[in-house]
């Protein structure tokens, strides 16, 4: 099992001027530790359970572009972009730019969006949940069309209409940047994973819950004649042991997940100064996690 790091706080004790240097230090520390994935949230406002809307928050893709220039090996992505935040053609162009400038290290993490306050706060339309899922599927189709050099032309959907789907330069990743769908909804989200995604991201509390979600995903794959094993499985883990830096407890907690085909466990410490946490917790955790059967 590989290790990822998810940066979810930007409230550095040194204030805004310290955030850029901290992110540079995070990139260096993550690569030195053998981390394979580095992500940030895609939100306008900080989440209520993680400090609240008045707390610091950076725009995701600007931050990922900065990290691309400060790293050379880790995969980069948002965990995850709400489909309502950007028009699909623009989102595909942004993800392509990140992929080109990072040398093929971009993942398009995407989901149906859920944080209503940030939408209302900044005047961004927030459709009902059924419409958000319709928009999510159309966005996935648009991105795939834009990333296929043989299919430039119009796109006519229920919610989006594009006269052209040009994307020049093309992505560096082949055949296109990885698509990761976040969420565990069994009827819609996991069906979209089976149909469109290269990777999924699940937030689960127990191995039994993960096993159930993966069984549902396998069922969707069977119905769609998709190879279940071709989908990379990732989970987010942010227990108290992670933030506290207790490696022994973390390894006991995560052991039950290792036999279920999870490729990457993404760790999300709730700290605005994660570089020190990486050196203290991730460095010893990476080799020990790799040894778990």
């Amino acid at each position: 099992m590989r290790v990822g790091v998810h940066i979810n706080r930007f409230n550095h004790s040194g204030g805004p001027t310290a955030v850029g240097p901290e992110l540079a230090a995070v990139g260096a520390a993550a690569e030195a530790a053998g981390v394979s994935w580095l992500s940030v949230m895609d939100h306008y406002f900080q989440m209520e359970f993680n400090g609240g809307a008045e707390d610091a928050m950076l725009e995701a893709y600007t931050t990922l572009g900065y990290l691309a220039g400060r790293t050379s090996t880790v995969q980069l992505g948002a965990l995850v972009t709400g489909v309502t935040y950007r028009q699909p053609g623009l989102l595909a162009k942004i993800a392509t730019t990140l992929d080109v400038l990072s040398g093929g290290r971009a993942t398009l993490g995407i989901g149906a969006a859920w944080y209503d306050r940030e939408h209302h706060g900044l005047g961004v339309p927030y459709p009902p949940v059924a419409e958000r899922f319709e928009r999510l599927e159309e966005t996935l189709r648009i991105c795939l069309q834009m990333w296929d050099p043989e299919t430039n032309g119009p796109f006519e959907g229920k919610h989006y209409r594009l006269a052209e789907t040009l994307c020049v330069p093309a992505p560096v990743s082949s055949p296109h940047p990885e698509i990761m769908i976040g969420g565990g909804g069994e009827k819609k989200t996991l069906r979209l994973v089976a149909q469109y995604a290269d990777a999924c991201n699940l937030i689960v509390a127990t191995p039994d819950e993960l096993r159930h979600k993966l069984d549902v995903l396998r069922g969707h794959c069977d119905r769609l004649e998709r190879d279940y094993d071709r989908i990379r499985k990732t989970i987010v883990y942010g227990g108290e042991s992670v933030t506290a830096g207790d490696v022994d407890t973390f390894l006991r907690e995560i052991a039950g997940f290792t036999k279920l085909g999870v490729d990457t466990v993404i760790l999300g410490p709730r700290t605005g100064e994660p570089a020190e946490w990486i050196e203290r917790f991730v460095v010893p955790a990476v080799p020990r996690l790799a040894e778990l059967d």
Side-chain angles (χ1 to χ4, degrees):
M1 185 184 288
R2 297 186 293 177
V3 175
V5 170
H6 181 56
I7 304 167
N8 56 59
R9 299 295 297 273
F10 302 98
N11 57 340
H12 197 285
S13 61
T17 59
V19 175
E22 177 68 23
L23 288 171
V26 167
E31 293 197 324
V35 165
S36 64
W37 165 272
L38 196 56
S39 58
V40 298
M41 295 183 295
D42 193 5
H43 283 294
Y44 305 142
F45 295 167
Q46 179 58 268
M47 295 178 291
E48 301 294 343
F49 67 84
N50 204 30
E54 291 76 17
D55 210 345
M57 177 56 62
L58 298 184
E59 195 281 321
Y61 285 97
T62 309
T63 306
L64 290 169
Y66 179 81
L67 288 169
R70 296 286 182 162
T71 57
S72 59
T73 61
V74 292
Q75 191 78 3
L76 300 167
L79 199 63
V80 293
T81 288
V83 69
T84 50
Y85 296 163
R86 300 167 189 84
Q87 290 292 103
L90 175 61
L91 178 61
K93 188 68 175 179
I94 291 169
T96 301
T97 300
L98 178 63
D99 194 63
V100 169
L101 297 182
S102 67
R105 294 185 286 128
T107 285
L108 173 61
I110 193 165
W114 60 269
Y115 194 5
D116 54 349
R117 177 176 176 177
E118 63 187 359
H119 289 76
H120 300 319
L122 296 188
V124 177
Y126 186 65
V129 63
E131 180 179 329
R132 297 201 305 275
F133 274 99
E134 291 173 352
R135 289 178 178 271
L136 175 57
E137 183 158 12
E138 287 190 16
T139 296
L140 291 164
R141 290 170 55 203
I142 289 167
C143 288
L144 289 170
Q145 183 169 323
M146 287 186 66
W147 288 335
D148 184 345
E150 304 300 322
T151 59
N152 176 45
F155 177 90
E156 292 288 335
K158 179 178 178 181
H159 301 287
Y160 301 112
R161 294 168 180 81
L162 286 70
E164 298 182 83
T165 50
L166 277 170
C167 189
V168 183
V172 174
S173 298
S174 180
H176 54 70
E178 179 184 61
I179 295 173
M180 174 188 284
I181 297 177
E186 297 180 8
K187 293 182 178 179
K188 294 182 179 180
T189 303
L190 293 179
R191 192 269 298 171
L192 292 174
V193 170
Q195 189 164 356
Y196 297 104
D198 306 295
C200 65
N201 181 256
L202 297 165
I203 301 176
V204 290
T206 67
D208 285 342
E209 184 181 356
L210 175 61
R211 183 180 293 105
H212 171 72
K213 295 293 184 183
L214 293 178
D215 285 344
V216 172
L217 175 60
R218 188 185 293 275
H220 285 301
C221 287
D222 290 344
R223 284 186 289 276
L224 292 166
E225 299 183 345
R226 174 78 189 280
D227 185 350
Y228 168 86
D229 293 326
R230 295 287 298 272
I231 299 170
R232 190 167 71 91
K233 288 84 176 176
T234 74
I235 60 172
V236 172
Y237 195 82
E240 291 300 321
S241 63
V242 172
T243 300
D246 185 342
V247 177
D248 291 335
T249 300
F250 163 69
L251 290 169
R252 287 195 298 271
E253 293 170 345
I254 205 69
F257 295 90
T258 61
K259 298 182 183 353
L260 298 176
V262 174
D263 173 87
T264 304
V265 56
I266 300 172
L267 307 177
R270 296 183 187 178
T271 173
E273 302 175 29
E276 182 275 333
W277 167 84
I278 291 172
E279 293 172 355
R280 175 169 45 89
F281 177 74
V282 178
V283 168
V286 167
R288 293 181 62 184
L289 188 61
E291 293 172 357
L292 292 177
D293 294 326

